[in-house]
Structure formats: C-alpha cells, structure tokens
Amino acid sequence: MTTLTKESLEETILKVIERMKDMRGSIKETAPIGIISMENWEWPQGVGLFALYGYYRETGDRALLDFLTDWFDARIAEGLPAKNVNTMCPMLTLAYVAEETGRPDYFDLCRDWLDYVLRDMPRTEEGGIQHEVSGSANEGQLWDDTLYMTVLFTAKMGVLLKEDACIQESVRQFLVHLKYLTDPATGLFFHGWTFLEGGHHFAKALWARGNSWYTAGLVDYLDMTEQPEGVRSFLLSSLRRQADKLLELQSPEGAWHTLLDEPDSYLETSATAAFAYGMLKAYRRGYLEEAYRDSALLALDYVLGQIDADGVVQGVSYGTGMGRTLQAYRDIPICPMPYGQSMALLLLVEAMKHEGGAAEGSGSHGPKRTAESRGEGGRSDG
C-alpha cells in the first residue's frame, strides 16, 4: 500500500480540483444536457460542486468560494434547465453557499426549487420520487440515484428553514427507496424498480455507482439532519449490510466492478472512490469498525493509481441510464467525468483525517481483516 503524507495528498487534491474546474468533453455525448463540461447545469456538475464546497469548508480557501459563486451566477444568468431529479443536484451546494454568503437571491432560488420537490415533483406509488430526468419521465420508476441527487437537498433545506416537513419527506424517501431497491440476499441495491409492467428490477443490476450514492450520501445525510433513533438505526444497518458485501466483493486491486457481483465487468473508479469515502467517514464517525477502514484504504490506494500526472481521474464510466440487460452496463464507455473528480476529491479530503487512525465516538473495533479473510481473489444518469 502506498505511503501517504499530508503534503502528497494536498498536492493531488489541488491537481484534481484544477482538472475538475476546466473539464471538457472527451467523447460524443448522448445525454440531452452535456454532463461532462463543468459549464453545464446537471447532476455531474452538482456532485462536483458539492465536493468543492466541502474542500472550501475544510481549508477556508476563499478562491474556491469565489469559483462557486461565479459558477452559480453564470449559470443563473444563462437560464436554468427544467426542474427534475438530476437538475436538482446543484441545488444542494447552492443551499450551503446561500447559508455561507447570506445572499437572498440564492435563498429565493433554493426555496423555489424546494417547493417543486414538495408540491410538483412526480411521485410513484407510496409517494416515492419518480426518477424523472432531462429527456425522460421514467414513469413509475424508483432509481437509487435519487437519494443523492434530490433528497439530500431536501434535507438540507429543512435544516436551513427549520421546516420539519422537509426532514420527514427525506426520511420517507430513504425508507421507500430502500424498501423497493434493497436486494435481501446481499444487502446491496438494485439500480431501479418500476411499479409498472407488473413490478420488477429491470436487469436486476447491482450497479456499483448506484450503490455508492447510498454509501457516500448516507454519511453526509446523517451529518445534515437529526432523525428518529429508529430511522437512524435502520439506515445504518442498511449501510452495514451493504458494506459487509462490499468487503467480500472488493477486487485484489482494491476496486469494485461496475456490476458488483460480475467480475467480468470492468473496475470502476468513481464508485470505488465513493465506497471508500463512505466507509472511511463511517469509521471516523463510529458507524463501522476497523475492517471497513482497511478496505477503504486499499481502495484509496487504487484510486490514487488512477489519477494521472495532470490530475485527471481515469477509469470512470459515463452517465448510466437504466439497463434492461446486464450487458448494457458492461458497454458503458469510460471517460473522465466531473463526478470521478469529485468522488476522488471527497475521498482524498477524508483520507487526510485518518493519519491517527482513531474513530470518533466509538470504542473498541473489530479485528483487522486481511485480503484473504475478505475472500478477495442511455440516459444522463448516475
């Protein structure tokens, strides 16, 4: 495993940030709204912005806050796209920037988009948020991407506005999505569920990045809000079951395949970084034990090896719509993406907090598990 220093991590972080800021398309895009260039307003840019804001909070680097406000001002001046699950994603960062700067125009925009979530966003049966995206209504469908793209913003606004209805809505969305997307045999999550056509999980894909939205999103969601203890315990037990299976499925290189249980599918960097971030932070928060941190550090080593000399994160799959076959996931092209940069950034920043190796608020930890004991051997979405 690579020996890491604070200095080497900081150097890598700065390279990753610079490449994220000026990211441009390297392949012909199939998404209705471009999802590679940081000059567009869509979910990949939203994920990138959230990571940049997190690093600003860690460092106090005013230049990062200026970049964020300049980015939002430019996009707002251009005119924002139609509201849907994925275009909602940048609003999470805008909520934090509004809180930071106190700008009333940012608050007003956040309230307007929140009102759409609560009143007008299409719902499935049982009140789940229908995964409507740019170019497709996806009627009757729940996707695992939705929790990260829209529900985190809803929760954050509930805290800012002191509106418990927003918090309760976020809780409901987590519970409904987990009810229909959890694979009871593995504890992993299917990419999607439809209430139509008799109800099914499409290709029954245990897709890595979709799973990683839960791993990375939950640890931040638990920081954003307070939940009833029963709900919190349920969410954490879902994380633990998922993480247990991830330990089992981690490749000898330290990464995870884009189809988690299909070793003939390629290793995918953005999901690997998001899994590692979630498990490292969960360890630090006392939610998971040392074995999960060890797995995350092995994944960190893999991710570092995928960051080239210019700071570009390689091995990232393009936006992935709902697959009707498992082969559809294997065929998704690989190219640098903003969320590859951002998931790596979240992981690198979290890694800087683990030099001492101690978890917050936890007592003893389980025994260290080695690689041997772990058994190692369409649309513009997720």
Side-chain angles (χ1 to χ4, degrees):
M1 188 174 290
T2 303
T3 301
L4 303 176
T5 65
K6 182 178 180 181
E7 290 73 20
S8 65
L9 283 172
E10 286 179 338
E11 181 180 351
T12 303
I13 284 169
L14 293 177
K15 287 182 179 179
V16 168
I17 288 174
E18 288 309 307
R19 294 290 73 76
M20 186 195 304
K21 287 180 178 178
D22 65 9
M23 186 154 284
R24 298 291 184 274
S26 58
I27 65 171
K28 183 178 179 179
E29 295 219 55
T30 58
I33 299 178
I35 61 173
I36 299 179
S37 170
M38 279 299 291
E39 294 179 358
N40 294 322
W41 179 293
E42 253 286 357
W43 69 268
Q45 294 80 13
V47 176
L49 296 169
F50 187 54
L52 288 175
Y53 181 76
Y55 190 55
Y56 160 71
R57 289 295 299 270
E58 290 293 325
T59 64
D61 183 354
R62 185 75 190 188
L64 282 174
L65 184 61
D66 290 343
F67 174 84
L68 292 171
T69 55
D70 289 347
W71 189 92
F72 280 111
D73 290 345
R75 303 291 83 75
I76 293 168
E78 293 166 358
L80 301 187
K83 300 178 181 72
N84 60 53
V85 167
N86 284 345
T87 58
M88 198 68 60
C89 188
M91 300 304 297
L92 173 61
T93 304
L94 186 61
Y96 278 95
V97 174
E99 181 182 32
E100 183 81 18
T101 62
R103 282 183 50 170
D105 55 336
Y106 286 175
F107 275 113
D108 289 344
L109 189 60
C110 287
R111 289 189 183 96
D112 178 57
W113 282 58
L114 174 66
D115 187 65
Y116 178 78
V117 175
L118 298 177
R119 299 177 185 274
D120 299 319
M121 186 166 272
R123 293 297 201 273
T124 68
E125 294 181 30
E126 297 195 40
I129 291 176
Q130 178 176 302
H131 194 82
E132 182 178 20
V133 300
S134 302
S136 182
N138 295 323
E139 184 179 354
Q141 296 180 20
L142 297 174
W143 293 26
D144 51 14
D145 318 51
T146 303
L147 296 175
Y148 202 100
M149 305 310 163
T150 292
V151 178
L152 294 186
F153 164 66
T154 305
K156 175 60 181 176
M157 288 301 294
V159 173
L160 281 183
L161 301 177
K162 296 181 173 58
E163 291 187 4
D164 185 61
C166 296
I167 306 301
Q168 297 307 319
E169 178 64 11
S170 73
V171 168
R172 175 169 72 153
Q173 293 306 320
F174 267 91
L175 297 182
V176 170
H177 280 74
L178 289 179
K179 175 180 179 178
Y180 284 98
L181 298 181
T182 300
D183 173 21
T186 64
L188 301 174
F189 307 118
F190 294 115
H191 188 180
W193 166 265
T194 178
F195 286 95
L196 307 181
E197 305 169 14
H200 59 78
H201 290 111
F202 299 94
K204 297 185 178 180
L206 300 174
W207 174 51
R209 192 162 58 244
N211 270 264
S212 76
W213 294 132
Y214 185 77
T215 324
L218 179 66
V219 292
D220 290 334
Y221 176 70
L222 295 177
D223 278 356
M224 289 177 195
T225 68
E226 293 185 5
Q227 311 82 27
E229 184 55 37
V231 172
R232 186 179 181 88
S233 297
F234 177 78
L235 296 177
L236 284 172
S237 69
S238 295
L239 174 66
R240 179 175 291 276
R241 276 216 72 205
Q242 182 201 43
D244 284 344
K245 194 64 176 179
L246 290 175
L247 295 191
E248 178 184 330
L249 295 175
Q250 189 173 24
S251 75
E253 297 91 339
W256 283 273
H257 296 271
T258 198
L259 291 170
L260 289 168
D261 58 343
E262 298 283 341
D264 63 338
S265 65
Y266 56 77
L267 298 175
E268 208 282 328
T269 307
S270 68
T272 296
F275 285 139
Y277 166 72
M279 287 195 286
L280 268 187
K281 184 169 181 177
Y283 169 77
R284 180 167 59 83
R285 288 290 193 235
Y287 306 147
L288 295 175
E289 293 80 26
E290 189 174 2
Y292 306 89
R293 182 199 64 171
D294 295 341
S295 173
L297 291 176
L298 184 62
L300 169 65
D301 199 47
Y302 177 86
V303 171
L304 286 168
Q306 294 297 308
I307 302 174
D308 68 21
D310 294 324
V312 177
V313 180
Q314 303 292 340
V316 177
S317 64
Y318 186 70
T320 305
M322 186 59 60
R324 293 280 178 164
T325 68
L326 295 180
Q327 189 60 40
Y329 294 86
R330 298 185 182 95
D331 293 340
I332 297 296
I334 297 174
C335 62
M337 298 295 295
Y339 48 82
Q341 302 295 122
S342 63
M343 291 295 101
L345 175 57
L346 286 174
L347 172 58
L348 294 171
V349 173
E350 179 64 28
M352 294 182 68
K353 303 175 183 179
H354 289 260
E355 290 181 300
E360 298 174 1
S362 76
S364 60
H365 298 287
K368 182 174 180 179
R369 291 175 66 182
T370 64
E372 290 81 4
S373 68
R374 286 199 304 268
E376 288 177 353
R379 289 293 182 187
S380 58
D381 295 286

